[in-house]
């Protein structure tokens, strides 16, 4: 397809707009309002023709086609990715007969045989070579066409679209299969009103006056009652990655109109009011108690924006199209805990969805098993751990030179390295905890005292811990099992980074609760945690039952992990 040749003529019919709350009135009777800086350079071409028109057709790239409709120049639209094509499926391009498709039918290349009127003044200035782009239809006139402008660009269509009333427009945000967002039409409209064979494209308009171009197959489909768009990287079920830079600015905007551009038919305009909720990195982590009567699903929110205000929207049993939405009598939800009422068999799956008025919905699913599903953190800390500050860990003499060398790296002090290492080790080898430790070292209201010691030991007769998904076991020095329970997540203290877990066996001993920080072998090469009979004061470092105690563990017989953990500890405690 030939690119248009820029015509060297007198000047550009247009205007520059860059001001706050500016309304642009076009000579075709339309008007657009812009917020400050929303569009920095708006070039528009008023319909102002009264002399002879030469009617032609020509093929266009998307950027050429949309330039007049969006009041932008083709170059900026091309840079914004309007011409980028990504097909969700192969072989359908040729079914959009108003568009240019590749020979194999897999790609849309642009718009075919667009109706164009060339004013007599401009026609006279065209060279023979420039006229070759156009197919002239001298004995006919078009009721709907684009004007060729003096700068070689094309105007918007000369006629206003026909408004379609009685249409319900719905937006699916965050859970749509074919894009970050999906739009569907219903009500007094059908595919006959917008046939895909006549479809040239569509335009989304927002409340602040901005317009966004949609293209067949990337956004628009054979079923014209649905469309999709993306604002960030997205992989659809066929493995393709739809173009998104040209629609990325839609999130946080309110869509007020969708206009379909149709060949040989009146363009169709549909008014609506759809807020495009923002994307974010929020997610859910689910952990469940075992199958049986009234299982509990613990829900932990991750990376939630402070103004999101997520609320539970739905609970579904099963998966896919056969999933059943549960009624309020089938479950209860309080403070991060979802209870499924009644008997639940092992292997039954559930999904939960939370909605926000500003951000996309977040959904996660879980399958109830005999022992329940481990949380992400439980999966990360799987293994057998010994004391990090113990003879089987970092205190073993084989690590002495590593401690010294790492300390010198951190402080630059060779002479004082041995004393510094001794101080660092000693500060983690405390023997008193709780009220006794608070009385000895203070409540930290003025910070840690110089002689402070934290206990990083395993307490209550445990020599090593075995973490197996939701199950935690304690082993004593002789290899005997001290306890063994499964644990469910019961909360998270974000301020102090403690994940709370409670035993499913209702035991009231010192192993009823575990409180894990986010440290894990993959990220920090060690773990930090507490455990006890109550969660009261679980996050308090210097007061309460757990004061001055934070158990630290490293994987058993894993020298590489222990070495990395020592280096990290020294680095963190000698950083200037």
């Amino acid at each position: 397809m030939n690119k248009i040749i820029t015509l060297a003529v007198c000047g550009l019919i247009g205007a520059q707009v860059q001001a706050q709350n500016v309304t642009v009135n076009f000579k075709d009777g339309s008007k657009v309002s812009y917020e400050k800086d929303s569009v920095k350079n708006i070039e528009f071409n008023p319909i102002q023709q009264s002399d002879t028109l030469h009617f032609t057709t020509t093929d266009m790239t998307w950027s050429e086609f949309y330039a007049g409709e969006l009041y932008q120049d083709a170059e900026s639209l091309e840079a914004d990715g309007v011409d980028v094509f990504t097909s969700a499926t192969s072989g359908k391009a040729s079914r959009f007969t108003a568009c240019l498709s590749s020979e194999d039918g897999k790609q849309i290349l642009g718009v075919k045989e667009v109706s164009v009127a060339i004013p007599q003044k401009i026609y006279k200035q065209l060279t023979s070579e420039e006229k070759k782009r156009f197919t002239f239809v001298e004995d006919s006139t078009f009721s709907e066409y684009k004007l060729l402008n003096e700068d070689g660009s094309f105007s918007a269509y000369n006629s206003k679209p026909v408004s379609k009333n009685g249409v319900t427009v719905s937006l699916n945000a965050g859970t749509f299969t074919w894009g970050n967002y999906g739009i569907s039409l219903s009500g007094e409209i059908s595919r006959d009103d917008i046939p895909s064979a006549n479809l040239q494209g569509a335009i989304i308009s927002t409340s602040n006056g901005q317009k966004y171009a949609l293209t067949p197959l990337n956004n628009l489909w054979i079923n014209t009652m649905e469309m999709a768009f993306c604002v960030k990287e997205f992989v659809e079920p066929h493995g393709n990655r739809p173009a998104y830079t040209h629609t990325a600015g839609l999130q946080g905007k309110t869509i007020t109109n969708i206009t379909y551009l149709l060949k040989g038919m009146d363009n169709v305009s549909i008014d609506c009011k759809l807020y495009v909720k923002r994307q974010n990195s929020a997610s859910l982590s689910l952990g469940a108690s075992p199958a049986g009567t009234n299982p509990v699903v613990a829900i932990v929110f991750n990376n939630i924006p402070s103004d999101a205000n997520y609320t539970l929207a739905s609970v579904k049993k099963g998966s896919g199209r056969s999933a059943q939405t549960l009624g309020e009598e089938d479950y209860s939800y309080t403070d991060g805990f979802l209870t499924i009422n009644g008997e639940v068999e092992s292997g039954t799956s559930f999904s939960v969805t939370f909605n926000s008025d500003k951000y996309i919905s977040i959904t996660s699913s879980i399958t109830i098993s005999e022992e329940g599903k481990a949380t992400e953190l439980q999966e990360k800390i799987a293994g057998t751990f010994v004391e990090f500050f113990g003879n089987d860990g970092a205190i073993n003499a084989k690590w002495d030179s590593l401690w010294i060398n790492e300390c010198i790296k951190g402080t630059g002090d060779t002479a004082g390295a041995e004393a510094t290492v001794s101080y660092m080790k000693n500060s983690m080898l405390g023997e008193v905890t709780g009220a006794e430790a608070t009385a000895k070292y203070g409540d930290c209201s003025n910070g840690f005292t110089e002689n402070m010691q934290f206990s990083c030991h395993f307490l209550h007769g445990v020599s090593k811990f075995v973490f197996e998904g939701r199950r935690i076991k304690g082993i004593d020095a002789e290899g005997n099992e001290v306890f063994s329970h499964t644990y469910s997540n019961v909360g998270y203290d974000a301020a102090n980074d403690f994940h709370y877990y409670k035993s499913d066996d209702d035991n009231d001993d010192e192993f009823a609760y575990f409180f894990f920080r986010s440290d894990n072998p993959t990220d920090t090469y060690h773990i930090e945690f507490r455990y006890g009979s109550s969660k009261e004061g679980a996050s308090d470092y210097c007061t309460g039952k757990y004061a001055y105690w934070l158990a630290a563990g490293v994987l058993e017989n894993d020298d590489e992990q222990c070495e990395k953990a020592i280096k990290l500890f020294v680095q963190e405690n000698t950083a200037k």
Side-chain angles (χ1 to χ4, degrees), residues 113-394:
E113 299 175 355
V114 181
S115 299
V116 175
I118 304 177
Q120 177 70 8
K121 176 183 177 182
I122 297 176
Y123 175 78
K124 290 180 178 180
Q125 299 173 27
L126 292 176
T127 66
S128 297
E129 187 65 29
E130 290 168 344
K131 289 179 181 178
K132 289 181 179 180
R133 169 170 186 167
F134 303 96
T135 300
F136 288 84
V137 190
E138 297 294 353
D139 297 329
S140 301
T141 59
F142 301 147
S143 60
E144 185 174 275
Y145 53 82
K146 289 175 174 285
L147 276 174
L148 177 64
N149 299 313
E150 289 190 80
D151 69 336
S153 65
F154 299 96
S155 74
Y157 274 116
N158 66 308
S159 61
K160 290 186 176 180
V162 174
S163 295
K164 190 72 175 174
N165 300 317
V167 181
T168 299
V169 186
S170 304
L171 179 70
N172 186 326
T175 58
F176 197 62
T177 304
W178 304 102
N180 298 135
Y181 304 88
I183 294 177
S184 60
L185 309 179
S186 60
E188 298 179 20
I189 193 169
S190 71
R191 294 168 64 171
D192 293 334
D193 297 308
I194 311 170
S196 58
N198 299 74
L199 186 64
Q200 295 177 316
I203 297 171
I204 285 178
S205 300
T206 59
S207 59
N208 69 336
Q210 290 180 289
K211 295 177 181 290
Y212 299 84
L214 304 182
T215 56
L217 286 190
N218 190 74
N219 308 110
L220 308 168
W221 305 319
I222 298 296
N223 177 8
T224 51
M225 297 298 96
E226 289 187 327
M227 67 188 75
F229 63 91
C230 296
V231 298
K232 63 178 185 178
E233 188 80 13
F234 183 86
V235 180
E236 49 83 64
H238 296 100
N240 293 309
R241 301 173 185 272
Y244 65 90
T245 56
H246 64 296
T247 50
L250 272 167
Q251 63 176 328
K253 304 290 195 311
T254 298
I255 298 174
T256 55
N257 180 270
I258 301 170
T259 296
Y260 288 88
L261 305 179
L262 303 167
K263 182 179 178 63
M265 299 176 61
D266 289 327
N267 296 330
V268 175
S269 173
I270 301 168
D271 290 330
C272 57
K273 188 176 182 180
L274 302 172
Y275 179 71
V276 183
K277 295 181 180 181
R278 292 186 175 277
Q279 301 282 316
N280 64 83
S281 58
S283 64
L284 304 174
S285 297
L286 305 184
S289 58
T293 305
N294 303 332
V296 177
V297 178
I299 302 173
V300 177
F301 295 86
N302 306 305
N303 302 317
I304 303 296
S306 60
D307 58 343
N309 191 31
Y310 276 107
T311 57
L312 181 63
S314 67
V315 180
K316 294 183 178 182
K317 179 181 180 180
S319 59
R321 294 183 178 181
S322 62
Q324 172 192 357
T325 300
L326 300 186
E328 293 184 359
E329 69 280 3
D330 298 320
Y331 65 88
S332 62
Y333 176 74
T334 305
D335 297 332
F337 297 98
L338 174 70
T339 301
I340 308 297
N341 297 333
E343 289 293 319
V344 176
E345 296 181 355
S346 178
T348 306
S349 61
F350 294 91
S351 64
V352 294
T353 299
F354 283 78
N355 287 348
S356 165
D357 58 350
K358 294 182 180 180
Y359 297 90
I360 61 169
S361 302
I362 50 178
T363 299
S364 187
S365 60
I366 190 169
T367 300
I368 307 297
S369 65
E370 292 295 340
E371 282 200 348
K373 181 182 181 298
T375 65
E376 181 180 1
L377 181 60
Q378 285 175 319
E379 291 175 348
K380 280 187 173 183
I381 62 175
T384 299
F385 290 81
V386 295
E387 288 185 358
F388 177 41
F389 292 97
N391 290 328
D392 292 329

Side-chain angles (χ1 to χ4, degrees), residues 285-292 294-299 337 346 366-383 465-474 483-490 500-507 511-514 516:
S285 297
L286 305 184
S289 58
N294 303 332
V296 177
V297 178
I299 302 173
F337 297 98
S346 178
I366 190 169
T367 300
I368 307 297
S369 65
E370 292 295 340
E371 282 200 348
K373 181 182 181 298
T375 65
E376 181 180 1
L377 181 60
Q378 285 175 319
E379 291 175 348
K380 280 187 173 183
I381 62 175
F465 284 95
V466 180
F467 300 101
E468 301 172 329
R470 295 184 61 250
R471 183 166 296 278
I472 303 176
K473 299 178 182 178
F483 74 95
S484 177
H485 305 292
T486 59
Y487 291 80
S488 296
N489 185 283
V490 293
Y500 291 7
Y501 286 82
K502 185 180 184 301
S503 169
D504 299 317
D505 296 336
D506 292 327
N507 51 297
F511 307 105
Y513 289 90
F514 272 76
F516 294 97

